[in-house]
């Protein structure tokens, strides 16, 4: 019956080829489990690319979204809605900054676009970003993205942006001058294969930005919302950025992005400078509020750290694994051989979903409320997959 639905052909004939051709169709989920159109169950250790922080069909999210959509789903930003204000205040509180003001949008690329435009309000135009970084695919965000393979076909991109090696503080201080509007950096490179910078890297960038009057933008799209065991991926460095961008986990599976500008940066945008029709949509904000509530209520940050430790302790013992890097539940399993794509396929056949951002790295980013039993099941299945390879 399912084959008759012929999803692969229909996708190929009706959807742009930019994603290649997926082979698996998912129709339902509950917690960390996904169910395919053929009724096969999968343990979700990719989390919709580090996005479904509370897993699938979380009761708190379902209730908040259902209640809101049955009352009012959209108002535009010509009008206020209590949810958007409540969420902005909550984010303010989570940053711990005295002054923090949020612009809401619908994706990570848009959050970084907003940061880019905000930086132009400093009357400077130069930008420093890092090699390997991923900041999104729209033309502005792509100009920030430091991956030649993604940029190649779309040049010329925005001028004035230089990319320096990630993790190299000396390169940052050489590149940043008093003409630099902003530096943008990920606390951990997500798409490039979960690459962790040396301790003190973000603190160093903070100092460079302070001495040149440059905005420090930290792209927490992937490393925010508890993913690393902290609300924001930079907290371990004890810094406060000028701008934080969020998306992925923020909406708990619904599209929501945010650009939080702090301190002096909070008031750079004036009326008319930027906008988004859907940004701060009451339904997406209701979902985000439910996500934050659940993370606080269930002490999920603590649980993330415990599960992270277990994975970091167990996985490196498996033959063929070089190391496990990353933080919290954003981990890159570095393999000794370039077999990540094959391992990913074996895992999928065994009912576990992950992805392979590079030839030798498996990224794992399960829901942050994943159970201990599912963590153990993942470790066991991973061990078997490595034996099969
Ligand atoms: C995914 C991602 C983005 C882009 O987010 P979209 O919602 O796909 O536009 C930007 N920055 C980082 C760090 C990301 O991981």
């Amino acid at each position: 019956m399912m084959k008759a639905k012929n999803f692969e052909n229909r996708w190929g004939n009706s959807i742009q080829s930019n994603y290649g051709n997926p082979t698996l169709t998912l129709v339902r989920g509950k917690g960390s489990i996904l169910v395919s159109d053929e009724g096969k169950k999968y343990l979700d250790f990719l989390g919709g690319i580090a996005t479904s922080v509370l897993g699938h069909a979380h009761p708190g999210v379902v209730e908040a979204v259902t209640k809101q959509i049955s009352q009012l789903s959209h108002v535009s930003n010509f009008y206020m809605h209590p949810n958007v204000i409540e969420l902005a205040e909550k984010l303010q509180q989570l940053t711990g900054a005295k002054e923090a003001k949020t612009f809401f949008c619908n994706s990570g690329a848009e959050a970084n676009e907003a940061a880019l435009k905000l930086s132009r309000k400093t009357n400077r135009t130069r930008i420093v970003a890092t090699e390997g970084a991923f900041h999104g695919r729209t033309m502005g965000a792509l100009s920030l993205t430091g991956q030649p393979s993604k940029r190649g076909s779309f040049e010329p991109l925005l001028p004035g942006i230089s990319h320096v090696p990630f993790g190299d503080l000396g390169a940052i201080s050489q590149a940043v001058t008093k003409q630099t509007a902003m530096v943008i950096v990920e606390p951990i490179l997500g798409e490039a294969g979960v690459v962790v910078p040396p301790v003190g890297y973000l603190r160093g960038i903070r100092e460079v930005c302070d001495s040149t009057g440059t905005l420090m933008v930290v792209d927490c799209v992937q490393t925010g919302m508890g993913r690393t065991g902290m609300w924001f991926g930079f907290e371990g460095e004890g810094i406060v950025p000028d701008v934080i961008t969020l998306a992925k986990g923020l909406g708990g599976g619904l599209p929501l992005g945010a650009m939080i500008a702090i301190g002096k940066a909070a008031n750079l945008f004036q009326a008319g400078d930027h906008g988004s029709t859907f940004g701060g949509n009451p339904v997406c904000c209701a979902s985000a509020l439910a996500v934050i509530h659940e993370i606080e209520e269930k002490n999920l940050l603590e649980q993330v750290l415990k599960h992270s430790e277990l994975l970091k302790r167990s996985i490196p013992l498996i033959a063929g694994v070089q190391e496990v890097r990353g933080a919290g539940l954003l981990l890159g399993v570095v393999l000794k051989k370039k077999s990540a794509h094959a391992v990913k396929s074996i895992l999928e056949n065994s009912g576990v979903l992950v992805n392979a951002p590079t030839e030798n790295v498996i990224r794992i980013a399960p829901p942050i409320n994943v159970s201990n039993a599912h963590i153990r099941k993942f470790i066991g299945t991973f061990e078997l997959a490595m034996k099969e390879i």
Side-chain angles (χ1 to χ4, degrees):
M1 183 193 100
M2 297 312 162
K3 294 294 173 206
K5 289 189 178 158
N6 200 8
F7 287 134
E8 274 185 71
N9 269 332
R10 287 164 60 196
W11 171 287
N13 289 332
S14 62
I15 290 178
Q16 285 284 328
S17 304
N18 56 308
Y19 298 113
N21 288 314
T23 51
L24 178 61
T25 306
L26 299 168
V27 293
R28 255 189 345 270
K30 186 81 196 143
S32 300
I33 299 295
L34 282 162
V35 184
S36 78
D37 58 332
E38 295 178 345
K40 181 168 170 179
K41 286 187 177 164
Y42 292 89
L43 181 56
D44 183 11
F45 262 55
L46 180 56
I49 318 180
T51 293
S52 312
V53 276
L54 298 186
H56 307 283
H58 185 275
V61 170
V62 170
E63 191 192 333
V65 166
T66 306
K67 182 167 165 238
Q68 186 54 51
I69 206 165
S70 60
Q71 284 174 358
L72 189 61
S73 58
H74 176 76
V75 291
S76 87
N77 287 293
F78 285 153
Y79 308 98
M80 292 186 280
H81 186 278
N83 289 2
V84 71
I85 300 170
E86 205 183 316
L87 179 58
E89 288 175 347
K90 196 75 216 180
L91 292 173
Q92 220 165 36
Q93 181 203 324
L94 295 179
T95 65
K98 270 200 221 87
E99 192 168 26
K101 292 185 176 179
T102 297
F103 167 79
F104 287 107
C105 51
N106 317 287
S107 68
E110 284 174 276
N112 289 329
E113 290 282 343
L116 210 162
K117 282 182 72 178
L118 189 85
S119 80
R120 287 285 172 102
K121 301 291 289 184
T122 63
N123 295 317
R124 303 180 184 184
T125 55
R126 300 221 176 128
I127 291 173
V128 174
T130 61
E131 291 169 6
F134 184 74
H135 299 298
R137 304 275 203 156
T138 55
M139 291 298 273
L142 185 60
S143 305
L144 301 172
T145 290
Q147 300 184 15
S149 62
K150 296 190 170 71
R151 300 161 55 93
S153 310
F154 304 101
E155 286 168 345
L157 293 165
L158 274 188
I161 303 177
S162 54
H163 290 88
V164 298
F166 180 74
D168 181 347
L169 190 54
I172 292 270
S173 43
Q174 276 210 328
V176 176
T177 69
K178 289 192 169 147
Q179 264 94 56
T180 310
M182 70 185 245
V183 171
I184 185 164
V185 66
E186 288 173 81
I188 294 173
L189 296 182
E191 294 310 300
V194 194
V195 180
V196 183
V199 173
Y201 183 55
L202 296 182
R203 225 177 309 129
I205 295 179
R206 178 69 276 178
E207 279 166 22
V208 171
C209 288
D210 283 340
S211 70
T212 52
T214 299
L215 295 179
M216 179 179 184
V217 181
V218 181
D219 180 344
C220 291
V221 168
Q222 186 152 164
T223 52
M225 300 309 290
R227 172 65 46 201
T228 63
M230 302 171 277
W231 283 105
F232 308 107
F234 57 78
E235 284 174 58
E237 292 270 295
I239 55 148
V240 182
D242 301 295
V243 177
I244 303 165
T245 55
L246 292 174
K248 292 205 164 86
L250 178 61
L254 268 66
L256 181 63
M259 190 272 308
I260 310 169
I262 293 168
K264 275 193 224 135
N267 296 303
L268 284 172
F269 271 158
Q270 299 301 311
D273 276 339
H274 198 41
S276 163
T277 299
F278 284 117
N281 169 280
V283 178
C284 296
C285 289
S287 184
L289 284 164
V291 167
I292 294 170
H293 178 79
E294 181 75 5
I295 294 175
E296 288 181 329
E297 191 83 355
K298 300 275 165 68
N299 277 325
L300 290 181
L301 300 185
E302 226 169 87
Q303 190 181 311
V304 165
L305 293 176
K306 257 196 276 177
H307 285 157
S308 183
E309 261 172 49
L310 177 56
L311 288 161
K312 281 182 158 179
R313 204 166 355 106
S314 312
I315 304 260
L317 303 177
I318 297 170
V321 173
Q322 174 125 10
E323 61 162 330
V324 175
R325 63 193 184 200
L329 288 177
L330 178 62
L331 297 175
V333 181
V334 185
L335 307 177
K336 287 185 178 152
K337 292 191 183 143
K338 292 181 174 173
S339 53
H341 295 282
V343 171
K344 178 217 160 221
S345 298
I346 296 172
L347 284 171
E348 187 171 315
N349 287 335
S350 316
V352 173
L353 301 182
V354 294
N355 90 319
T358 71
E359 283 180 323
N360 68 331
V361 178
I362 295 281
R363 169 174 47 188
I364 58 183
I368 67 171
N369 61 352
V370 63
S371 70
N372 193 267
H374 281 151
I375 295 270
R376 285 173 192 283
K377 182 169 177 202
F378 173 81
I379 295 167
T381 313
F382 192 83
E383 187 165 10
L384 290 175
M386 290 302 292
K387 276 202 186 115
E388 211 176 301
I389 195 78

